Short mmCIF file of all heavy atoms in Angstrom, two decimals:
data_model
loop_
_atom_site.label_atom_id
_atom_site.label_comp_id
_atom_site.label_asym_id
_atom_site.label_seq_id
_atom_site.Cartn_x
_atom_site.Cartn_y
_atom_site.Cartn_z
N MET A 1 108.24 117.24 87.74
CA MET A 1 107.21 117.32 86.81
C MET A 1 107.80 117.77 85.40
O MET A 1 108.55 118.78 85.42
CB MET A 1 106.13 118.28 87.18
CG MET A 1 104.97 118.23 86.48
SD MET A 1 103.47 118.94 87.13
CE MET A 1 103.70 118.79 88.87
N LYS A 2 107.42 117.11 84.42
CA LYS A 2 108.08 117.28 83.03
C LYS A 2 107.09 118.17 82.27
O LYS A 2 107.55 119.14 81.50
CB LYS A 2 108.30 116.09 82.31
CG LYS A 2 109.30 115.13 83.01
CD LYS A 2 110.70 115.84 83.05
CE LYS A 2 111.47 115.10 81.95
NZ LYS A 2 112.79 115.69 81.85
N ARG A 3 105.75 117.82 82.25
CA ARG A 3 104.81 118.54 81.39
C ARG A 3 103.34 118.42 81.95
O ARG A 3 103.14 117.42 82.56
CB ARG A 3 104.81 117.84 80.03
CG ARG A 3 104.10 118.72 79.01
CD ARG A 3 104.21 118.04 77.62
NE ARG A 3 103.38 116.81 77.61
CZ ARG A 3 103.78 115.60 77.04
NH1 ARG A 3 105.00 115.54 76.40
NH2 ARG A 3 103.05 114.61 77.06
N ILE A 4 102.59 119.43 81.73
CA ILE A 4 101.27 119.45 82.05
C ILE A 4 100.39 119.83 80.76
O ILE A 4 100.72 120.91 80.20
CB ILE A 4 100.92 120.44 83.22
CG1 ILE A 4 101.58 120.07 84.44
CG2 ILE A 4 99.24 120.32 83.45
CD1 ILE A 4 101.41 121.20 85.60
N ASP A 5 99.59 118.88 80.33
CA ASP A 5 98.77 119.20 79.10
C ASP A 5 97.39 119.60 79.63
O ASP A 5 96.82 118.91 80.53
CB ASP A 5 98.64 117.96 78.27
CG ASP A 5 99.95 117.50 77.73
OD1 ASP A 5 100.77 118.25 77.34
OD2 ASP A 5 100.20 116.26 77.60
N LEU A 6 96.86 120.70 78.95
CA LEU A 6 95.55 121.30 79.33
C LEU A 6 94.52 120.80 78.29
O LEU A 6 94.90 120.60 77.09
CB LEU A 6 95.70 122.80 79.43
CG LEU A 6 96.71 123.23 80.46
CD1 LEU A 6 96.81 124.77 80.33
CD2 LEU A 6 96.47 122.83 81.86
N ASP A 7 93.31 120.75 78.73
CA ASP A 7 92.19 120.43 77.88
C ASP A 7 91.65 121.83 77.27
O ASP A 7 92.31 122.75 77.43
CB ASP A 7 91.05 119.74 78.57
CG ASP A 7 90.38 120.44 79.71
OD1 ASP A 7 90.60 121.65 79.84
OD2 ASP A 7 89.66 119.82 80.55
N ASP A 8 90.52 121.66 76.60
CA ASP A 8 89.94 122.81 75.93
C ASP A 8 89.54 123.98 76.86
O ASP A 8 89.64 125.04 76.49
CB ASP A 8 88.89 122.42 75.02
CG ASP A 8 89.27 121.51 73.78
OD1 ASP A 8 90.45 121.67 73.46
OD2 ASP A 8 88.31 120.81 73.33
N GLU A 9 89.31 123.55 78.12
CA GLU A 9 88.85 124.58 79.08
C GLU A 9 90.08 125.00 79.93
O GLU A 9 89.85 125.55 81.08
CB GLU A 9 87.89 123.94 80.01
CG GLU A 9 86.53 123.61 79.09
CD GLU A 9 85.37 122.93 79.92
OE1 GLU A 9 85.69 122.72 81.12
OE2 GLU A 9 84.37 122.49 79.37
N GLU A 10 91.19 124.80 79.48
CA GLU A 10 92.55 125.12 80.23
C GLU A 10 92.69 124.43 81.50
O GLU A 10 93.24 124.94 82.58
CB GLU A 10 92.60 126.56 80.40
CG GLU A 10 92.60 127.42 79.07
CD GLU A 10 93.95 127.17 78.24
OE1 GLU A 10 95.00 127.08 78.87
OE2 GLU A 10 93.70 126.85 77.06
N MET A 11 92.00 123.17 81.68
CA MET A 11 92.13 122.41 82.95
C MET A 11 93.21 121.34 82.73
O MET A 11 93.30 120.80 81.60
CB MET A 11 90.79 121.78 83.38
CG MET A 11 89.79 122.89 83.71
SD MET A 11 90.20 123.76 85.18
CE MET A 11 90.15 122.54 86.45
N PRO A 12 93.94 120.90 83.70
CA PRO A 12 94.93 119.84 83.54
C PRO A 12 94.17 118.57 82.89
O PRO A 12 93.20 118.13 83.58
CB PRO A 12 95.37 119.61 84.96
CG PRO A 12 95.18 120.88 85.60
CD PRO A 12 93.84 121.32 85.08
N GLU A 13 94.64 118.04 81.92
CA GLU A 13 94.23 116.81 81.23
C GLU A 13 95.13 115.70 81.65
O GLU A 13 94.76 114.59 81.84
CB GLU A 13 93.97 116.94 79.73
CG GLU A 13 93.37 115.84 79.18
CD GLU A 13 93.02 116.06 77.74
OE1 GLU A 13 93.78 116.82 76.99
OE2 GLU A 13 91.94 115.74 77.30
N SER A 14 96.48 115.84 81.50
CA SER A 14 97.45 114.87 81.75
C SER A 14 98.62 115.46 82.34
O SER A 14 98.92 116.76 82.01
CB SER A 14 97.76 114.05 80.49
OG SER A 14 98.54 114.83 79.49
N VAL A 15 99.39 114.74 83.16
CA VAL A 15 100.67 115.29 83.82
C VAL A 15 101.75 114.26 83.56
O VAL A 15 101.45 113.04 83.94
CB VAL A 15 100.46 115.44 85.33
CG1 VAL A 15 101.72 116.00 85.98
CG2 VAL A 15 99.25 116.45 85.58
N LEU A 16 102.85 114.62 83.05
CA LEU A 16 103.98 113.74 82.88
C LEU A 16 104.91 114.02 83.78
O LEU A 16 105.38 115.21 84.00
CB LEU A 16 104.59 114.09 81.47
CG LEU A 16 105.88 113.30 81.13
CD1 LEU A 16 105.53 111.74 81.09
CD2 LEU A 16 106.48 113.80 79.78
N VAL A 17 105.33 113.02 84.73
CA VAL A 17 106.23 113.18 85.80
C VAL A 17 107.48 112.26 85.54
O VAL A 17 107.43 111.24 84.92
CB VAL A 17 105.63 112.92 87.20
CG1 VAL A 17 104.53 113.85 87.58
CG2 VAL A 17 105.09 111.49 87.29
N GLU A 18 108.52 112.64 86.21
CA GLU A 18 109.78 111.84 86.16
C GLU A 18 110.00 111.31 87.51
O GLU A 18 110.05 112.13 88.47
CB GLU A 18 110.93 112.59 85.59
CG GLU A 18 112.15 112.02 85.50
CD GLU A 18 113.23 112.78 84.84
OE1 GLU A 18 113.04 113.28 83.75
OE2 GLU A 18 114.25 112.83 85.52
N LEU A 19 110.18 109.96 87.73
CA LEU A 19 110.45 109.45 89.02
C LEU A 19 111.72 108.65 88.89
O LEU A 19 112.01 108.19 87.97
CB LEU A 19 109.33 108.38 89.36
CG LEU A 19 107.84 108.90 89.52
CD1 LEU A 19 106.98 107.68 89.70
CD2 LEU A 19 107.77 109.91 90.65
N SER A 20 112.43 108.71 90.07
CA SER A 20 113.56 107.97 90.27
C SER A 20 113.19 106.39 90.32
O SER A 20 112.09 106.17 90.59
CB SER A 20 114.50 108.42 91.36
OG SER A 20 113.81 108.07 92.61
N HIS A 21 114.10 105.53 90.33
CA HIS A 21 113.92 104.13 90.55
C HIS A 21 113.35 103.97 91.85
O HIS A 21 112.22 103.30 91.99
CB HIS A 21 115.00 103.45 90.40
CG HIS A 21 114.99 101.97 90.77
ND1 HIS A 21 115.17 101.59 92.08
CD2 HIS A 21 114.84 100.71 90.11
CE1 HIS A 21 114.97 100.26 92.22
NE2 HIS A 21 114.69 99.72 90.99
N ASP A 22 113.80 104.55 92.85
CA ASP A 22 113.28 104.36 94.18
C ASP A 22 111.93 104.98 94.45
O ASP A 22 111.12 104.38 95.19
CB ASP A 22 114.29 105.01 95.24
CG ASP A 22 115.63 104.29 95.41
OD1 ASP A 22 115.74 103.16 94.71
OD2 ASP A 22 116.47 104.69 96.20
N GLU A 23 111.66 106.15 93.81
CA GLU A 23 110.33 106.73 93.97
C GLU A 23 109.34 105.93 93.23
O GLU A 23 108.24 105.65 93.84
CB GLU A 23 110.33 108.23 93.33
CG GLU A 23 111.17 109.10 94.13
CD GLU A 23 111.47 110.45 93.25
OE1 GLU A 23 111.45 110.47 92.03
OE2 GLU A 23 111.78 111.39 93.98
N ALA A 24 109.63 105.32 92.13
CA ALA A 24 108.56 104.46 91.31
C ALA A 24 108.39 103.17 92.22
O ALA A 24 107.32 102.64 92.21
CB ALA A 24 109.11 104.29 89.94
N ALA A 25 109.40 102.62 92.78
CA ALA A 25 109.42 101.46 93.56
C ALA A 25 108.52 101.70 94.79
O ALA A 25 107.62 100.92 95.18
CB ALA A 25 110.73 100.82 93.99
N TYR A 26 108.73 102.83 95.40
CA TYR A 26 107.88 103.13 96.72
C TYR A 26 106.44 103.45 96.37
O TYR A 26 105.56 102.91 97.05
CB TYR A 26 108.54 104.44 97.16
CG TYR A 26 107.73 105.09 98.40
CD1 TYR A 26 107.78 104.47 99.65
CD2 TYR A 26 106.71 106.12 98.24
CE1 TYR A 26 107.11 104.92 100.67
CE2 TYR A 26 106.00 106.50 99.30
CZ TYR A 26 106.17 105.99 100.42
OH TYR A 26 105.36 106.42 101.52
N LEU A 27 106.30 103.98 95.26
CA LEU A 27 104.87 104.22 94.72
C LEU A 27 104.09 102.98 94.39
O LEU A 27 103.01 102.71 94.86
CB LEU A 27 104.78 105.22 93.50
CG LEU A 27 103.39 105.56 93.02
CD1 LEU A 27 102.56 106.19 94.08
CD2 LEU A 27 103.55 106.33 91.82
N ALA A 28 104.85 101.96 93.68
CA ALA A 28 104.29 100.69 93.53
C ALA A 28 104.04 99.93 94.75
O ALA A 28 102.85 99.29 94.96
CB ALA A 28 105.13 99.90 92.64
N LEU A 29 104.80 99.96 95.64
CA LEU A 29 104.77 99.24 96.95
C LEU A 29 103.60 99.81 97.74
O LEU A 29 102.71 99.04 98.39
CB LEU A 29 105.94 99.34 97.82
CG LEU A 29 107.13 98.42 97.34
CD1 LEU A 29 108.46 99.05 98.16
CD2 LEU A 29 106.89 97.04 97.59
N LEU A 30 103.48 101.20 97.82
CA LEU A 30 102.31 101.81 98.54
C LEU A 30 101.04 101.49 97.85
O LEU A 30 100.02 101.14 98.66
CB LEU A 30 102.69 103.35 98.44
CG LEU A 30 101.64 104.20 99.29
CD1 LEU A 30 101.82 104.07 100.73
CD2 LEU A 30 101.87 105.76 98.86
N LEU A 31 101.01 101.66 96.60
CA LEU A 31 99.73 101.30 95.91
C LEU A 31 99.32 99.82 96.15
O LEU A 31 98.14 99.38 96.29
CB LEU A 31 99.76 101.63 94.48
CG LEU A 31 99.73 103.11 94.14
CD1 LEU A 31 100.02 103.34 92.66
CD2 LEU A 31 98.32 103.70 94.45
N GLY A 32 100.27 98.97 96.14
CA GLY A 32 99.98 97.53 96.17
C GLY A 32 99.60 97.10 97.65
O GLY A 32 98.92 96.13 97.75
N LYS A 33 99.71 97.98 98.66
CA LYS A 33 99.21 97.67 99.91
C LYS A 33 97.93 98.14 100.26
O LYS A 33 97.36 98.03 101.34
CB LYS A 33 100.26 98.17 100.92
CG LYS A 33 101.61 97.52 100.82
CD LYS A 33 102.46 97.81 102.08
CE LYS A 33 103.80 97.10 102.02
NZ LYS A 33 103.71 95.65 102.06
N GLN A 34 97.36 98.93 99.24
CA GLN A 34 96.03 99.54 99.39
C GLN A 34 95.02 98.56 98.80
O GLN A 34 95.20 97.85 97.91
CB GLN A 34 95.91 100.91 98.72
CG GLN A 34 96.99 101.85 99.09
CD GLN A 34 96.80 102.34 100.47
OE1 GLN A 34 95.85 102.63 100.96
NE2 GLN A 34 97.92 102.13 101.35
N ASN A 35 93.66 98.59 99.34
CA ASN A 35 92.60 97.84 98.85
C ASN A 35 91.65 98.98 98.11
O ASN A 35 91.96 100.13 98.24
CB ASN A 35 91.91 96.97 99.82
CG ASN A 35 91.12 97.91 100.86
OD1 ASN A 35 90.63 98.84 100.59
ND2 ASN A 35 91.12 97.43 102.07
N GLY A 36 90.75 98.41 97.37
CA GLY A 36 89.91 99.27 96.49
C GLY A 36 89.12 100.30 97.43
O GLY A 36 89.00 101.33 96.89
N ASN A 37 88.74 99.83 98.53
CA ASN A 37 87.92 100.78 99.34
C ASN A 37 88.82 101.80 99.88
O ASN A 37 88.48 103.03 100.03
CB ASN A 37 87.38 99.93 100.63
CG ASN A 37 86.18 99.07 100.20
OD1 ASN A 37 85.65 99.22 99.19
ND2 ASN A 37 86.11 97.93 100.97
N ASP A 38 90.05 101.55 100.24
CA ASP A 38 91.12 102.63 100.64
C ASP A 38 91.19 103.52 99.59
O ASP A 38 91.26 104.86 99.85
CB ASP A 38 92.36 102.03 101.16
CG ASP A 38 92.28 101.15 102.25
OD1 ASP A 38 91.44 101.37 103.17
OD2 ASP A 38 93.26 100.38 102.58
N MET A 39 91.44 103.07 98.29
CA MET A 39 91.73 104.02 97.26
C MET A 39 90.47 104.79 96.95
O MET A 39 90.70 106.03 96.50
CB MET A 39 92.15 103.21 96.07
CG MET A 39 93.55 102.63 96.20
SD MET A 39 93.87 101.75 94.72
CE MET A 39 95.36 100.84 95.13
N ASN A 40 89.28 104.35 96.99
CA ASN A 40 88.12 105.13 96.71
C ASN A 40 87.75 106.07 97.76
O ASN A 40 87.03 107.08 97.56
CB ASN A 40 86.89 104.09 96.51
CG ASN A 40 86.89 103.43 95.26
OD1 ASN A 40 87.34 103.95 94.17
ND2 ASN A 40 86.36 102.15 95.23
N ALA A 41 88.27 105.79 98.98
CA ALA A 41 88.19 106.75 100.09
C ALA A 41 88.95 108.04 99.89
O ALA A 41 88.55 109.15 100.40
CB ALA A 41 88.35 106.13 101.42
N VAL A 42 90.07 107.85 99.20
CA VAL A 42 90.94 108.98 98.93
C VAL A 42 90.31 109.89 97.77
O VAL A 42 90.33 111.06 97.81
CB VAL A 42 92.28 108.61 98.49
CG1 VAL A 42 93.20 109.70 97.91
CG2 VAL A 42 93.05 107.81 99.72
N ALA A 43 89.73 109.20 96.80
CA ALA A 43 89.19 109.98 95.61
C ALA A 43 88.13 109.04 94.85
O ALA A 43 88.37 107.90 94.84
CB ALA A 43 90.45 110.42 94.66
N LEU A 44 87.28 109.69 94.36
CA LEU A 44 86.22 109.02 93.47
C LEU A 44 86.87 108.33 92.39
O LEU A 44 87.63 109.01 91.62
CB LEU A 44 85.10 110.04 92.99
CG LEU A 44 84.05 109.51 92.28
CD1 LEU A 44 83.15 108.51 93.20
CD2 LEU A 44 83.09 110.59 91.73
N GLY A 45 86.59 107.02 92.19
CA GLY A 45 87.38 106.16 91.16
C GLY A 45 88.80 105.95 91.44
O GLY A 45 89.55 105.56 90.62
N GLY A 46 89.16 106.05 92.75
CA GLY A 46 90.47 105.91 93.23
C GLY A 46 91.00 104.43 93.01
O GLY A 46 92.13 104.32 92.62
N ALA A 47 90.05 103.41 93.05
CA ALA A 47 90.46 102.12 93.02
C ALA A 47 91.00 101.85 91.37
O ALA A 47 92.05 101.18 91.12
CB ALA A 47 89.44 101.10 93.28
N ARG A 48 90.20 102.38 90.53
CA ARG A 48 90.53 102.25 89.07
C ARG A 48 91.78 103.02 88.78
O ARG A 48 92.75 102.53 88.11
CB ARG A 48 89.33 102.95 88.30
CG ARG A 48 89.61 102.84 86.75
CD ARG A 48 88.46 103.43 85.99
NE ARG A 48 88.15 104.89 86.38
CZ ARG A 48 88.85 105.97 86.06
NH1 ARG A 48 89.88 105.80 85.39
NH2 ARG A 48 88.48 107.06 86.53
N LEU A 49 91.94 104.30 89.32
CA LEU A 49 93.11 105.06 89.08
C LEU A 49 94.48 104.40 89.62
O LEU A 49 95.45 104.29 88.94
CB LEU A 49 92.88 106.50 89.53
CG LEU A 49 91.76 107.28 88.82
CD1 LEU A 49 91.59 108.51 89.59
CD2 LEU A 49 92.15 107.55 87.45
N GLY A 50 94.25 104.13 90.93
CA GLY A 50 95.43 103.46 91.56
C GLY A 50 95.83 102.18 90.95
O GLY A 50 96.88 101.87 90.87
N GLY A 51 94.78 101.38 90.62
CA GLY A 51 95.10 100.16 89.89
C GLY A 51 95.89 100.34 88.58
O GLY A 51 96.67 99.57 88.24
N ALA A 52 95.46 101.30 87.89
CA ALA A 52 96.05 101.49 86.53
C ALA A 52 97.57 101.96 86.76
O ALA A 52 98.39 101.48 85.96
CB ALA A 52 95.37 102.66 85.80
N VAL A 53 97.93 102.77 87.75
CA VAL A 53 99.25 103.23 88.00
C VAL A 53 100.00 101.90 88.53
O VAL A 53 101.04 101.74 88.06
CB VAL A 53 99.31 104.29 89.07
CG1 VAL A 53 100.77 104.60 89.47
CG2 VAL A 53 98.57 105.59 88.51
N TYR A 54 99.39 101.18 89.43
CA TYR A 54 100.11 99.91 89.96
C TYR A 54 100.34 98.91 88.88
O TYR A 54 101.45 98.38 88.78
CB TYR A 54 99.33 99.47 91.03
CG TYR A 54 99.90 98.04 91.68
CD1 TYR A 54 100.87 98.15 92.57
CD2 TYR A 54 99.38 96.85 91.26
CE1 TYR A 54 101.44 97.20 93.04
CE2 TYR A 54 99.97 95.75 91.84
CZ TYR A 54 100.93 95.92 92.69
OH TYR A 54 101.59 94.72 93.29
N GLU A 55 99.34 98.68 88.04
CA GLU A 55 99.57 97.70 86.93
C GLU A 55 100.54 98.33 85.95
O GLU A 55 101.48 97.41 85.46
CB GLU A 55 98.31 97.59 86.17
CG GLU A 55 98.07 96.44 85.34
CD GLU A 55 98.37 95.13 85.98
OE1 GLU A 55 97.87 94.99 87.04
OE2 GLU A 55 98.75 94.22 85.24
N GLY A 56 100.70 99.64 85.67
CA GLY A 56 101.74 100.13 84.76
C GLY A 56 103.06 99.94 85.26
O GLY A 56 104.12 99.57 84.56
N LEU A 57 103.29 100.13 86.66
CA LEU A 57 104.52 100.00 87.30
C LEU A 57 104.96 98.57 87.33
O LEU A 57 106.17 98.14 87.01
CB LEU A 57 104.62 100.74 88.61
CG LEU A 57 104.53 102.17 88.55
CD1 LEU A 57 104.29 102.75 90.00
CD2 LEU A 57 105.75 102.79 88.03
N THR A 58 104.02 97.74 87.89
CA THR A 58 104.48 96.34 88.22
C THR A 58 104.62 95.42 86.93
O THR A 58 105.45 94.70 86.84
CB THR A 58 103.39 95.58 89.14
OG1 THR A 58 102.10 95.68 88.62
CG2 THR A 58 103.55 96.44 90.47
N SER A 59 103.69 95.65 85.91
CA SER A 59 103.80 94.83 84.77
C SER A 59 104.60 95.46 83.69
O SER A 59 105.26 94.81 82.95
CB SER A 59 102.43 94.36 84.33
OG SER A 59 101.57 95.43 83.86
N GLY A 60 104.35 96.75 83.56
CA GLY A 60 105.18 97.39 82.45
C GLY A 60 106.56 97.76 82.67
O GLY A 60 107.30 97.96 81.76
N LEU A 61 106.85 97.93 83.99
CA LEU A 61 108.29 98.31 84.23
C LEU A 61 109.04 97.35 85.00
O LEU A 61 109.94 96.65 84.60
CB LEU A 61 108.18 99.66 84.96
CG LEU A 61 109.62 100.25 85.51
CD1 LEU A 61 110.45 100.59 84.39
CD2 LEU A 61 109.33 101.43 86.47
N PHE A 62 108.63 97.00 86.16
CA PHE A 62 109.44 96.26 87.15
C PHE A 62 109.57 94.74 86.77
O PHE A 62 110.61 94.18 86.89
CB PHE A 62 109.05 96.41 88.63
CG PHE A 62 109.26 97.77 89.07
CD1 PHE A 62 108.21 98.40 89.69
CD2 PHE A 62 110.49 98.36 89.04
CE1 PHE A 62 108.43 99.79 90.18
CE2 PHE A 62 110.75 99.60 89.43
CZ PHE A 62 109.64 100.39 90.11
N ASN A 63 108.46 94.19 86.20
CA ASN A 63 108.54 92.80 85.72
C ASN A 63 109.48 92.60 84.64
O ASN A 63 109.89 91.46 84.35
CB ASN A 63 107.22 92.26 85.40
CG ASN A 63 106.40 91.96 86.64
OD1 ASN A 63 106.95 91.91 87.77
ND2 ASN A 63 105.16 91.67 86.55
N ARG A 64 109.77 93.71 83.83
CA ARG A 64 110.75 93.55 82.72
C ARG A 64 112.15 93.67 83.27
O ARG A 64 113.01 92.90 82.53
CB ARG A 64 110.55 94.78 81.71
CG ARG A 64 109.31 94.69 80.95
CD ARG A 64 109.26 95.80 79.87
NE ARG A 64 110.18 96.79 79.90
CZ ARG A 64 110.24 97.98 79.34
NH1 ARG A 64 109.17 98.25 78.59
NH2 ARG A 64 111.14 98.87 79.34
N PHE A 65 112.38 94.20 84.34
CA PHE A 65 113.86 94.32 84.77
C PHE A 65 114.23 93.38 86.08
O PHE A 65 115.36 93.30 86.36
CB PHE A 65 114.14 95.71 85.04
CG PHE A 65 114.04 96.61 83.83
CD1 PHE A 65 113.01 97.33 83.57
CD2 PHE A 65 115.09 96.49 82.88
CE1 PHE A 65 112.78 98.22 82.36
CE2 PHE A 65 114.98 97.38 81.76
CZ PHE A 65 113.86 98.12 81.48
N TYR A 66 113.19 93.06 86.72
CA TYR A 66 113.49 92.31 88.01
C TYR A 66 112.62 90.89 87.94
O TYR A 66 111.43 90.97 87.64
CB TYR A 66 112.98 93.00 89.20
CG TYR A 66 113.78 94.29 89.42
CD1 TYR A 66 113.39 95.47 88.87
CD2 TYR A 66 115.02 94.24 89.92
CE1 TYR A 66 114.13 96.67 88.98
CE2 TYR A 66 115.85 95.44 90.28
CZ TYR A 66 115.33 96.68 89.66
OH TYR A 66 116.11 97.78 89.77
N GLU A 67 113.38 89.80 88.29
CA GLU A 67 112.69 88.51 88.25
C GLU A 67 111.43 88.46 89.17
O GLU A 67 110.48 87.84 88.90
CB GLU A 67 113.67 87.48 88.64
CG GLU A 67 113.28 86.15 88.56
CD GLU A 67 114.07 85.03 88.98
OE1 GLU A 67 115.36 85.14 88.40
OE2 GLU A 67 113.87 84.11 89.59
N ASP A 68 111.59 89.19 90.31
CA ASP A 68 110.48 89.25 91.27
C ASP A 68 109.64 90.40 91.29
O ASP A 68 108.86 90.88 92.26
CB ASP A 68 111.00 89.08 92.74
CG ASP A 68 111.72 87.79 92.93
OD1 ASP A 68 111.21 86.76 92.33
OD2 ASP A 68 112.69 87.74 93.70
N GLY A 69 109.58 91.12 90.07
CA GLY A 69 108.77 92.25 89.90
C GLY A 69 109.00 93.43 90.88
O GLY A 69 110.11 93.70 91.16
N VAL A 70 108.00 93.92 91.47
CA VAL A 70 108.07 95.08 92.46
C VAL A 70 108.85 94.74 93.58
O VAL A 70 109.56 95.49 94.17
CB VAL A 70 106.84 95.79 92.55
CG1 VAL A 70 105.84 94.87 93.48
CG2 VAL A 70 106.94 97.15 93.19
N ASP A 71 108.76 93.39 94.04
CA ASP A 71 109.57 93.02 95.21
C ASP A 71 110.96 93.05 94.87
O ASP A 71 111.84 93.46 95.79
CB ASP A 71 109.05 91.64 95.61
CG ASP A 71 107.62 91.62 96.19
OD1 ASP A 71 107.25 92.69 96.71
OD2 ASP A 71 106.93 90.52 96.12
N GLY A 72 111.38 92.62 93.77
CA GLY A 72 112.85 92.71 93.37
C GLY A 72 113.23 94.13 93.28
O GLY A 72 114.41 94.45 93.73
N ALA A 73 112.46 95.01 92.79
CA ALA A 73 112.71 96.46 92.69
C ALA A 73 112.93 97.06 94.10
O ALA A 73 113.80 97.77 94.38
CB ALA A 73 111.66 97.32 91.91
N ALA A 74 112.15 96.66 95.04
CA ALA A 74 112.07 97.10 96.37
C ALA A 74 113.43 96.66 97.17
O ALA A 74 114.08 97.33 97.73
CB ALA A 74 110.96 96.61 97.17
N GLU A 75 113.87 95.37 96.73
CA GLU A 75 115.05 94.96 97.43
C GLU A 75 116.25 95.72 96.86
O GLU A 75 117.12 96.03 97.54
CB GLU A 75 115.14 93.35 96.92
CG GLU A 75 114.26 92.51 97.75
CD GLU A 75 114.27 91.05 97.29
OE1 GLU A 75 115.24 90.63 96.57
OE2 GLU A 75 113.43 90.36 97.62
N ALA A 76 116.37 95.95 95.58
CA ALA A 76 117.32 96.81 95.03
C ALA A 76 117.30 98.28 95.60
O ALA A 76 118.43 98.82 95.79
CB ALA A 76 117.12 96.97 93.37
N MET A 77 116.16 98.69 95.84
CA MET A 77 116.09 100.07 96.48
C MET A 77 116.58 100.03 97.87
O MET A 77 117.47 100.94 98.18
CB MET A 77 114.64 100.47 96.51
CG MET A 77 114.34 101.83 97.15
SD MET A 77 112.59 102.28 97.25
CE MET A 77 112.08 101.12 98.48
N GLN A 78 116.30 99.10 98.78
CA GLN A 78 116.91 98.84 100.02
C GLN A 78 118.34 98.65 99.96
O GLN A 78 119.07 99.12 100.76
CB GLN A 78 116.10 97.74 100.70
CG GLN A 78 114.60 98.28 101.08
CD GLN A 78 113.82 96.92 101.46
OE1 GLN A 78 114.23 95.87 101.54
NE2 GLN A 78 112.72 97.42 101.84
N ALA A 79 118.76 97.92 99.07
CA ALA A 79 120.29 97.64 98.96
C ALA A 79 121.14 98.90 98.55
O ALA A 79 122.31 99.01 98.92
CB ALA A 79 120.59 96.51 97.90
N SER A 80 120.40 99.91 97.94
CA SER A 80 121.17 101.05 97.45
C SER A 80 121.30 102.12 98.52
O SER A 80 122.07 103.07 98.37
CB SER A 80 120.59 101.68 96.20
OG SER A 80 119.27 102.21 96.59
N THR A 81 120.58 101.83 99.62
CA THR A 81 120.58 102.91 100.77
C THR A 81 121.46 102.47 101.85
O THR A 81 121.95 101.38 101.97
CB THR A 81 119.09 103.15 101.37
OG1 THR A 81 118.64 101.91 101.87
CG2 THR A 81 118.34 103.74 100.37
#
């Protein structure tokens, strides 16, 4: 965890985390296997939140560096172990 920003009521508003390549690939793979009902069962609005994280990882990160997006990242993760 790099930083926690608090709102006016001293409640966490945003959290900045640092993930390794493998951790980010794992998170993207895990989220990609969930459906909206599963995500909503975990937390209210979970489908929206999980979708935003997944979209950020898959389109904003892995598709820039791997021809096959998150699948290419997963292959690289498995090759490194």
